[in-house]
Amino acid sequence: MTAGGFGRANLPYGIFRRAGEPARVGVRFGEGVLDLATLAADGLLDDPGGAFAQPALNAFMACGPAAWAAARERLQRLVSGVDAEPGLIALDDVELLLPFAVADYVDFWSSIDHAANSGRIFRPGSDPLPPNWRHMPIGYHGRSGTVVAGGTPVRRPHGQSRPDREAPPVFGPSAKLDVELELGFVIGAPSAMGEAVPVALAAEHVFGVVLLNDWSARDLQAFESQPLGPFLGKSFATSISPWVTPMAALEPFRAAPLTPQEPAPADYLREEPWALDIALEIELNGEAIARTNGRHLYWSVAQQIAHLTVNGASLRTGDLLGSGTISGPARAERGSLLELSWNGAEPLALAGGAERTFLEDGDEVVLRGIAGEGEDAVALADVRGRIVGA
Amino acid sequence: MTAGGFGRANLPYGIFRRAGEPARVGVRFGEGVLDLATLAADGLLDDPGGAFAQPALNAFMACGPAAWAAARERLQRLVSGVDAEPGLIALDDVELLLPFAVADYVDFWSSIDHAANSGRIFRPGSDPLPPNWRHMPIGYHGRSGTVVAGGTPVRRPHGQSRPDREAPPVFGPSAKLDVELELGFVIGAPSAMGEAVPVALAAEHVFGVVLLNDWSARDLQAFESQPLGPFLGKSFATSISPWVTPMAALEPFRAAPLTPQEPAPADYLREEPWALDIALEIELNGEAIARTNGRHLYWSVAQQIAHLTVNGASLRTGDLLGSGTISGPARAERGSLLELSWNGAEPLALAGGAERTFLEDGDEVVLRGIAGEGEDAVALADVRGRIVGA
């Protein structure tokens, strides 16, 4: 029951629906779901303002860290069977929905090996990192409206690309459909417009963590992105875990980042460096094709939040911050097919003799993540997605 | 009463609040406000699902074009006094709020003179337009959470810039705070994920039009933007008209764009070219510093929507599409201080001997727009903003 990283140490929140019943808040425990609205109705759990009967986590997330801590403490007692044995609904009997309404989605670019690989592939001969990269967590806004729960099929997008630079652009289905393995940080507590969030207080705004697949059409992205950044190459779909692991569950897995920050960042970004020690994996059609770790992130989510708000921009409940693709220095640690196949130049050999440069129709990708081992392990819920033809 | 572009031909929708009363939907008529919730309660107006008692236009906007047309026809009869003389609340007695909850905010770059001026300023010696520009309406996602109603003061943002390329970056208040004069198109009717909206049907998704000031910190933007596009240089604030002029009110002002599309765009973007003939103005501290027109837009909002959705991305009610800064070929037609002062190299002479390159603390900017003349004129509501020191 507590095997696989979904025991008492995790207790992630999600939105589930049983046939014929309204969607509401649940917590995953092992292979079962605790129905928080029913627990609250039975007097076993405080429900701040009826938040657990909502079809999105936002109302609960907006309650802030004290309410999150109180609910977590109570749920940990409940699943320990201290007071009563709570009923569990089998995971197989529920449909999992997008866990929260996404406010703004920002995708950062905070893994140094991924950023450098991008530079080596697209700007060979020049410095692999752009001049701003070591000074701030570079990011851009993505499309909130196309963030979907893992399990949702992903249709191959159409768009314009220019495979031959001497010829006019062509229109058609993307020929370079890719996956990006990321962590997603979910903002619970909002901040006021006009007020920067200090880096030391930034993590208190984070409700929890998901895995995030930032599906990318590299050919569309390459033609459209200069000078205003990615647009259609990213906006067709972004998949996240259907369960949000509480930030509190991951606190024991804080660890030093594997690359020190050099030069020292500006004052508003300065903190004791940290990352999350989460083992991460990309599985393609059942085969692990990459294994990496959250410690390969150069910038922390606290630094990302301090940067995002230093100009006075506010945080809202439901903001989603993608870490950016997480890659390590070894080939097997690269978090995208762009890097694994070096933009198609070095096809990836799969079991059974198959090869891949980018995704083919029918391919199924699963992102996995787990921190720790055994009883104390904390898993991030898998993000699955199968490619449907254009 | 019907002077100034807010007569029977306009009837824009907004959200207003009188002291001690809940916010709800109103329509501006001259210098007064029609209270739609009260009109509905009095049986003078159909209220689809109680939408007019909401504190945002989204519920009404989601009802779609038939409901918008029915409400508009009824309101035009009401203000003509055909059936009864509706009560008006004086504009001075109400507070105007952000008219709708912004879903995704996309900022396009659809004025050819503005795009070319940007190229001449930042990439002198190369083609002023990037290779993709004439093939698709280039755009990027902005921050929805910091879109505010005109009248909200704008605090000068802090951030990193690199004025001396040979020296490390510096942190401080932006020294190049700018205005961008844009039209904003507001999506009412949503579209399904995975389905492209055909260009011929795209305008039916548009509920209405606002003026939009895409405040920009040019120094922050210049350092951060490569390769992923603008982020903190734009995300601190975006101001829009507090009244949304119905798309139907602007139909009589469709006109040919002033620059023909050459080469012919891809099939999914092909339509009879059109723009909106709206006279536009930037006022700085009471003095008009630029006058331009909506006909300087190269790409139409229908083409922007067809492009945005061709990869399968969906539209949501409340999506906001900025046109991009609207500039004409003459110096006095430039829609930003970046262009008017040529990035500071040619200060703008103001009345009374003052000069400006970029905005100073205390400056007040007003964007104005009006289509047509006299009784039939249709105004977009002013967007005001005063700069507050960092």
Side-chain angles (χ1 to χ4, degrees):
Chain A
M1 181 85 132
T2 58
F6 289 101
R8 184 175 175 280
N10 192 346
L11 301 181
Y13 293 89
I15 299 295
F16 74 98
R17 184 162 53 194
R18 280 207 287 192
E21 294 182 9
R24 68 191 95 152
V25 175
V27 158
R28 179 168 172 183
F29 183 57
E31 296 305 306
V33 178
L34 287 164
D35 176 347
L36 297 208
T38 298
L39 288 176
D42 293 347
L44 293 170
L45 187 68
D46 276 345
D47 184 357
F52 295 139
Q54 300 291 316
L57 293 177
N58 300 61
F60 175 56
M61 298 198 306
C63 294
W68 310 337
R72 181 166 172 79
E73 189 185 344
R74 181 72 192 137
L75 288 164
Q76 287 191 321
R77 278 182 69 93
L78 278 171
V79 299
S80 304
V82 176
D83 308 308
E85 197 68 46
L88 282 176
I89 305 166
L91 254 185
D92 287 345
D93 292 343
V94 306
E95 177 190 5
L96 298 176
L97 307 181
L98 184 68
F100 58 96
V102 182
D104 273 299
Y105 163 41
V106 172
D107 198 23
F108 285 94
W109 198 42
S110 289
S111 152
I112 193 164
D113 290 297
H114 170 67
N117 282 338
S118 308
R120 290 181 192 110
I121 291 169
F122 293 121
R123 296 179 301 278
S126 62
D127 189 337
L129 293 176
N132 48 28
W133 202 91
R134 286 176 178 271
H135 295 286
M136 59 176 77
I138 295 294
Y140 67 99
H141 286 92
R143 191 160 186 83
S144 306
T146 51
V147 176
V148 297
T152 307
V154 171
R155 188 174 295 277
R156 182 181 298 276
H158 280 85
Q160 294 190 53
S161 60
R162 196 167 201 165
D164 177 354
R165 286 193 178 210
E166 306 305 314
V170 297
F171 176 80
S174 170
K176 290 191 171 181
L177 186 54
D178 200 357
V179 44
E180 291 198 336
L181 167 58
E182 306 193 13
L183 293 175
F185 293 85
V186 185
I187 297 296
S191 74
M193 194 164 162
E195 292 176 22
V197 176
V199 67
L201 302 179
E204 295 178 20
H205 291 266
V206 181
F207 173 74
V209 181
V210 291
L211 290 169
L212 184 152
N213 189 340
D214 179 31
W215 304 96
S216 300
R218 300 297 181 191
D219 40 359
L220 279 50
Q221 186 184 348
F223 183 50
E224 73 183 355
S225 288
Q226 289 306 319
L228 296 181
F231 187 36
L232 267 64
K234 302 277 195 173
S235 64
F236 56 97
T238 305
S239 301
I240 62 171
S241 305
W243 297 104
V244 183
T245 290
M247 196 65 183
L250 294 166
E251 286 296 336
F253 305 101
R254 281 194 183 223
L258 292 169
T259 304
Q261 294 189 339
E262 181 56 45
D267 284 349
Y268 75 95
L269 295 171
R270 209 163 295 178
E271 62 169 351
E272 186 64 40
W274 65 283
L276 292 175
D277 183 5
I278 303 176
L280 300 164
E281 186 177 289
I282 305 176
E283 190 182 281
L284 175 61
N285 300 329
E287 178 181 354
I289 59 168
R291 290 197 172 91
T292 181
N293 191 289
R295 294 178 68 192
H296 287 300
L297 289 170
Y298 182 93
W299 297 103
S300 75
V301 66
Q303 291 175 316
Q304 290 168 344
I305 290 171
H307 183 62
L308 170 57
T309 60
V310 77
N311 70 345
S314 49
L315 299 172
R316 287 184 297 170
T317 299
D319 281 352
L320 173 62
L321 311 186
S323 63
T325 306
I326 303 175
S327 296
R331 178 172 175 178
E333 294 175 312
R334 296 173 185 166
S336 66
L337 287 167
L338 171 73
E339 294 160 272
L340 287 162
S341 78
W342 215 250
N343 200 20
E346 303 171 11
L348 193 66
L350 301 179
E355 287 192 337
R356 281 292 181 286
T357 51
F358 292 96
L359 295 172
E360 299 188 359
D361 292 347
D363 279 352
E364 186 177 57
V365 175
V366 184
L367 305 186
R368 301 184 190 279
I370 192 160
E373 292 180 348
E375 283 268 326
D376 296 329
V378 174
L380 302 178
D382 294 352
V383 177
R384 285 174 183 273
R386 187 180 291 278
I387 305 303
V388 178
Chain B
M1 182 88 128
T2 58
F6 289 101
R8 184 175 175 281
N10 192 348
L11 301 180
Y13 293 88
I15 298 295
F16 75 98
R17 183 162 55 194
R18 280 206 286 192
E21 294 181 9
R24 67 191 95 153
V25 175
V27 158
R28 179 167 172 184
F29 183 56
E31 297 305 306
V33 179
L34 287 164
D35 175 348
L36 297 208
T38 298
L39 288 175
D42 292 349
L44 293 170
L45 187 67
D46 276 345
D47 184 357
F52 296 139
Q54 300 292 316
L57 293 176
N58 299 61
F60 176 55
M61 299 199 304
C63 294
W68 311 337
R72 180 166 172 79
E73 189 184 345
R74 182 70 192 139
L75 288 165
Q76 288 192 321
R77 277 182 70 93
L78 278 171
V79 299
S80 303
V82 177
D83 307 307
E85 196 68 47
L88 283 175
I89 304 167
L91 255 184
D92 289 344
D93 292 342
V94 306
E95 177 189 5
L96 298 176
L97 307 182
L98 185 67
F100 58 98
V102 182
D104 273 301
Y105 163 41
V106 172
D107 198 24
F108 285 94
W109 197 42
S110 289
S111 153
I112 193 165
D113 291 297
H114 170 67
N117 282 337
S118 309
R120 290 181 192 112
I121 291 168
F122 293 119
R123 296 178 301 277
S126 63
D127 190 336
L129 293 176
N132 49 29
W133 202 90
R134 286 176 179 271
H135 296 285
M136 59 176 76
I138 295 294
Y140 68 98
H141 286 93
R143 191 161 185 81
S144 305
T146 49
V147 176
V148 296
T152 307
V154 172
R155 187 174 297 274
R156 181 180 298 274
H158 281 84
Q160 293 190 52
S161 60
R162 195 167 203 165
D164 177 354
R165 286 192 179 210
E166 306 306 314
V170 296
F171 176 80
S174 170
K176 289 190 171 182
L177 185 53
D178 200 356
V179 44
E180 290 198 337
L181 168 59
E182 305 192 14
L183 294 174
F185 293 85
V186 185
I187 297 297
S191 74
M193 195 163 160
E195 292 177 21
V197 175
V199 65
L201 303 178
E204 294 178 20
H205 290 265
V206 181
F207 173 75
V209 182
V210 292
L211 290 170
L212 184 152
N213 189 341
D214 178 30
W215 305 96
S216 300
R218 300 299 180 189
D219 41 359
L220 277 51
Q221 187 185 348
F223 183 49
E224 73 183 354
S225 288
Q226 287 308 316
L228 295 181
F231 187 37
L232 267 64
K234 301 278 194 173
S235 64
F236 57 96
T238 305
S239 302
I240 62 171
S241 304
W243 297 104
V244 183
T245 290
M247 196 64 182
L250 294 166
E251 287 294 336
F253 305 102
R254 280 193 184 225
L258 292 168
T259 305
Q261 293 187 340
E262 183 56 45
D267 284 350
Y268 76 95
L269 296 171
R270 209 163 292 177
E271 62 169 352
E272 186 64 40
W274 65 284
L276 293 174
D277 184 4
I278 303 176
L280 300 164
E281 187 177 288
I282 306 175
E283 192 182 280
L284 174 61
N285 299 331
E287 178 181 353
I289 60 167
R291 290 198 173 91
T292 182
N293 192 290
R295 294 179 69 192
H296 286 300
L297 289 170
Y298 183 93
W299 298 104
S300 75
V301 68
Q303 292 174 315
Q304 291 168 344
I305 290 170
H307 183 61
L308 170 57
T309 61
V310 79
N311 70 344
S314 49
L315 298 173
R316 287 185 296 170
T317 299
D319 281 352
L320 173 63
L321 311 186
S323 62
T325 307
I326 305 174
S327 296
R331 177 172 174 175
E333 293 174 314
R334 296 173 185 167
S336 66
L337 286 168
L338 172 74
E339 295 161 272
L340 288 162
S341 78
W342 215 248
N343 199 20
E346 303 171 11
L348 193 68
L350 300 179
E355 286 190 338
R356 279 294 179 287
T357 51
F358 292 96
L359 294 172
E360 299 188 359
D361 291 347
D363 278 352
E364 185 177 58
V365 175
V366 185
L367 305 186
R368 301 183 191 280
I370 192 159
E373 292 181 348
E375 284 268 326
D376 296 329
V378 173
L380 301 179
D382 295 352
V383 177
R384 286 175 183 273
R386 187 180 292 277
I387 304 304
V388 178

